[in-house]
Amino acid sequence: MSEGHSTYKPKTGIERWFDARLPLPRLVHDSFIVYPVPRNLNYAYTFGGILTIMLASQIITGVVLAMHYAPDTGLAFNSVEKITRDVNSGWLLRSLHANGASFFFIAVYIHICRGLYYGSYKSPREFLWVLGCTNLLVMMATAFIGYVLPWGQMSFWGATVITGFFSAIPLVGDWLQHLLLGGFAVSNPTLNRFFALHYLLPFLLVGTVTLHIWALHVVGQNNPTGIEVKSKTDVVDFTPYATVKDAVGIIVFVFFFAYFVFYLPNFLGHPDNYTVANPLKTPAHIVPEWYFLPFYAILRAITFNVGPIDSKLGGVLAMFSSIAVLFLVPWLDSSKVRSAVYRPWYRLFFWMFVANALFLGWLGSQPAEGAYVTMSQVATLYYFAFFIIVMPLLGLIETPRPLPHSITEAVLEKNAARSKAEE
Amino acid sequence: MTDPSYLESVSAELASPAEALTFVEVDVSSLTPGTSLVVQWRGKPVVVRNRTGQEMKDAEAADLGTLEDTIARNANLPADAPATDANRTMPGKEAWLVMVQVCTHLGCIPIGQDGEFGGWLCPCHGSQYDSAGRIRKGPAPENMAVPVFQFISDTKIRIG
């Protein structure tokens, strides 16, 4: 699994010449052709490849969109409309990019849940997981900033509310908010710096994703049994096995993506964002994009003061903690068994966590009043309890099911059971 | 000769439009009791309201002990001035409320003459302000800010 035993053999003179100078073909050969992957990877493991494709797609469509976009408060809204109506294939580029952000998040959330389910964050993959959390943070920052660029009402007021989070920080909050905005309120300097950052961050993401993949190739992939690879019978070559499986996953994913791009291009957006930003009027009901809704619900769930922390700072802290806690997962889970397949209780709590996160998302789309607030508070409590109470305690009290001795044994057992059922 | 304050305003405007520490002058002669107007100052809306007798009476009647934020947040007064109705306005001009109409929670623009306290209601997260712009309910931590302003004549206000 680890580096250092390359099987690459240059065949021609040109390949030998390159290999002695910059062994790029060797890197590709070792990382994506003969790289050994566990033989039992299921389709949940194709989302890494899907995410890579989505990142590339976002960068390509984004760079072309930037050629037609004008980052000026007087021009931005109309330039986006012009892209949709006058630029050749502009409607397609914009739809790909806007819906691409949503599908990027769908893929990343499934990817994260896959990791939580199969215990992919456990030793020796802690740093791989932490890098993944970093990717999520950079993605979120990029998505939020990108949503401001069309300069509609939701762009403007989303930017106002989210930069308002920083004003909750004691002492330096107001200074920091002023710096972010480049003034007293969201205005032209804000749009300029957000555009610059929206162009910068995706390339930063390419960097952290590269580190993530590098770390993956050092420790090797986890698999649905959570058992480490022990022998050559446990693995298959990346090409053709993983390449083809990833390709199938990508194609199916693109079917769904294309359906939204071509038939429901505005389904995931807000009609209010087709009204140009008006600094003097807040829309009656402002909500973030769907992929931020669970975190938005957590923000609004803190309606009470906790000692010296007022509800405003408390809400902001809770929201940032909901991401921060992900970074700590490798050290919070005390179980010696990785995969939820062999952890009946963890499996139950995990699916409750998923249902709870979806519920929080729904709550985030509802007004912050009455019973919604109480429900948000209960759901927020479970969100944190899953990480801070369930993960550390369950490993100590749960009796896992017996583990197979190897990946090969697990696969053969499953196949035997299947052929028996067919008889 | 050009009015020096005009030059001051223009140079600030050119240096950095968003940072412009400029002022605005507002003609309020058209405001009858119960009406308001909004001007933009430092990119934010400032409401000037000529309050009705009932609104003033309600605001004065509020017990200071029941307020969420007991500080006036009036830039024309010492920082620790209590949030009485008089301290939210100018002496002799108690009918006039001049205030940055930005919710102190996360910066949305509250809707005027709405909510349980006859003042402002923020559509974003439900903060409610009374007819003196003081926070009474909801997640906002502070009363809405009263900016530096003065009456330069009976019908003209200078904000900033």
Side-chain angles (χ1 to χ4, degrees):
Chain A
M1 283 281 145
S2 63
E3 314 278 294
H5 46 78
S6 176
T7 57
Y8 175 71
K9 291 212 170 43
K11 291 181 202 81
T12 63
I14 296 172
E15 282 176 274
R16 271 192 295 278
W17 191 87
F18 265 112
D19 194 49
R21 285 156 182 82
L22 180 70
L24 207 55
R26 179 184 294 274
L27 181 73
V28 172
H29 180 85
D30 293 345
S31 309
F32 302 106
I33 295 173
V34 297
Y35 178 72
V37 295
R39 62 190 282 180
N40 59 338
L41 297 187
N42 56 30
Y43 277 105
Y45 283 80
T46 61
F47 282 88
I50 289 168
L51 284 162
T52 314
I53 296 291
M54 289 313 294
L55 178 57
S57 163
Q58 287 301 88
I59 288 179
I60 293 165
T61 53
V63 166
V64 184
L65 284 169
M67 295 172 186
H68 300 282
Y69 171 77
D72 180 288
T73 51
L75 306 170
F77 185 85
N78 287 339
S79 76
V80 173
E81 285 310 301
K82 189 174 170 253
I83 288 169
T84 316
R85 290 147 208 270
D86 288 348
V87 172
N88 290 340
S89 303
W91 62 272
L92 178 60
L93 284 169
R94 184 177 169 221
S95 186
L96 281 169
H97 197 72
N99 288 290
S102 282
F103 276 78
F104 206 161
F105 274 97
I106 290 174
V108 87
Y109 287 145
I110 296 174
H111 191 64
I112 291 168
C113 286
R114 195 282 325 271
L116 283 174
Y117 189 82
Y118 293 122
S120 303
Y121 45 83
K122 282 176 182 291
S123 174
R125 297 185 181 82
E126 304 97 320
F127 197 60
L128 174 63
W129 174 267
V130 167
L131 283 165
C133 295
T134 312
N135 294 340
L136 175 67
L137 258 185
V138 179
M139 255 181 84
M140 288 179 142
T142 310
F144 154 63
I145 290 171
Y147 192 58
V148 177
L149 303 184
W151 207 245
Q153 274 288 67
M154 281 295 175
S155 301
F156 185 92
W157 292 102
T160 299
V161 167
I162 293 184
T163 54
F165 295 163
F166 292 89
S167 70
I169 301 168
L171 302 175
V172 295
D174 287 328
W175 173 82
L176 196 62
Q177 187 194 17
H178 198 95
L179 181 74
L180 271 171
L181 297 177
F184 298 105
V186 176
S187 51
N188 202 50
T190 320
L191 184 59
N192 285 171
R193 62 193 61 196
F194 275 24
F195 179 60
L197 290 173
H198 190 65
Y199 211 116
L200 168 71
L201 290 180
F203 295 97
L204 192 73
L205 186 56
V206 170
T208 55
V209 164
T210 306
L211 292 179
H212 185 66
I213 296 173
W214 185 7
L216 171 73
H217 281 232
V218 171
V219 295
Q221 274 183 295
N222 186 31
N223 64 84
T225 65
I227 304 167
E228 282 294 301
V229 168
K230 287 175 181 157
S231 69
K232 285 213 158 140
T233 61
D234 288 346
V235 292
V236 290
D237 285 348
F238 191 91
T239 302
Y241 299 99
T243 322
V244 169
K245 192 153 190 156
D246 277 355
V248 173
I250 289 164
I251 289 166
V252 172
F253 189 79
V254 168
F255 273 133
F256 288 103
F257 180 34
Y259 187 73
F260 276 78
V261 167
F262 291 105
Y263 297 103
L264 301 166
N266 288 309
F267 182 78
L268 298 165
H270 297 288
D272 269 318
N273 225 27
Y274 279 103
T275 310
V276 67
N278 178 357
L280 297 183
K281 191 177 182 300
T282 307
H285 185 51
I286 72 164
V287 280
E289 289 285 83
W290 70 266
Y291 38 81
F292 290 139
L293 286 173
F295 307 102
Y296 193 60
I298 291 174
L299 166 84
R300 300 191 305 181
I302 312 299
T303 53
F304 44 85
N305 302 339
V306 186
I309 300 169
D310 63 25
S311 59
K312 177 175 168 181
L313 178 59
V316 172
L317 284 177
M319 194 192 67
F320 281 109
S321 304
S322 66
I323 305 288
V325 75
L326 292 174
F327 283 83
L328 301 176
V329 161
W331 298 279
L332 286 172
D333 187 350
S334 60
S335 173
K336 289 197 167 52
V337 175
R338 283 200 191 108
S339 172
V341 172
Y342 305 102
R343 299 183 61 193
W345 281 103
Y346 176 74
R347 194 159 59 204
L348 177 69
F349 283 109
F350 167 83
W351 286 114
M352 275 168 61
F353 173 79
V354 173
N356 184 64
L358 293 172
F359 182 51
L360 271 172
W362 176 74
L363 287 168
S365 71
Q366 300 303 313
E369 56 193 32
Y372 296 123
V373 176
T374 319
M375 287 191 280
S376 299
Q377 286 165 345
V378 174
T380 300
L381 200 66
Y382 182 71
Y383 181 96
F384 285 106
F386 175 74
F387 293 110
I388 294 169
I389 299 170
V390 173
M391 277 197 162
L393 278 188
L394 207 54
L396 304 177
I397 56 177
E398 183 184 34
T399 312
R401 286 171 43 210
L403 292 172
H405 292 99
S406 68
I407 295 172
T408 309
E409 189 188 294
V411 172
L412 294 181
E413 256 172 28
K414 203 173 164 187
N415 289 352
R418 191 179 295 161
S419 52
K420 206 171 185 184
E422 276 165 12
E423 269 164 24
Chain B
M1 217 182 96
T2 320
D3 178 5
S5 63
Y6 167 77
L7 280 180
E8 182 195 327
S9 150
V10 167
S11 63
E13 197 77 51
L14 288 175
S16 165
E19 291 282 347
L21 297 165
T22 171
F23 55 84
V24 285
E25 286 182 6
V26 198
D27 182 353
V28 296
S29 58
S30 65
L31 290 184
T32 54
T35 59
S36 19
L37 60 78
V38 174
V39 289
Q40 212 171 342
W41 174 68
R42 289 180 166 183
K44 292 177 180 172
V46 172
V47 62
V48 179
R49 180 159 179 85
N50 189 351
R51 299 186 296 168
T52 64
Q54 187 61 43
E55 284 174 346
M56 285 192 282
K57 218 181 286 170
D58 290 345
E60 281 158 15
D63 178 8
L64 272 186
T66 65
L67 294 181
E68 300 274 323
D69 178 17
T70 54
I71 296 171
R73 310 286 169 193
N74 183 339
N76 307 285
L77 293 176
D80 58 350
T84 58
D85 185 58
N87 279 348
R88 296 281 299 164
T89 55
M90 285 267 171
K93 294 279 188 187
E94 280 82 4
W96 296 86
L97 181 66
V98 178
M99 164 178 94
V100 179
Q101 194 182 342
V102 170
C103 182
T104 57
H105 181 223
L106 293 169
C108 296
I109 312 284
I111 297 158
Q113 289 65 63
D114 202 342
E116 292 167 33
F117 299 89
W120 283 262
L121 169 70
C122 184
C124 291
H125 307 99
S127 291
Q128 305 207 28
Y129 298 84
D130 65 13
S131 52
R134 296 172 298 195
I135 180 67
R136 302 299 289 274
K137 196 176 174 186
E142 290 177 10
N143 302 326
M144 281 193 270
V146 175
V148 172
F149 76 97
Q150 61 192 66
F151 276 87
I152 46 180
S153 74
D154 271 351
T155 58
K156 245 187 176 175
I157 296 177
R158 177 182 153 132
I159 299 165

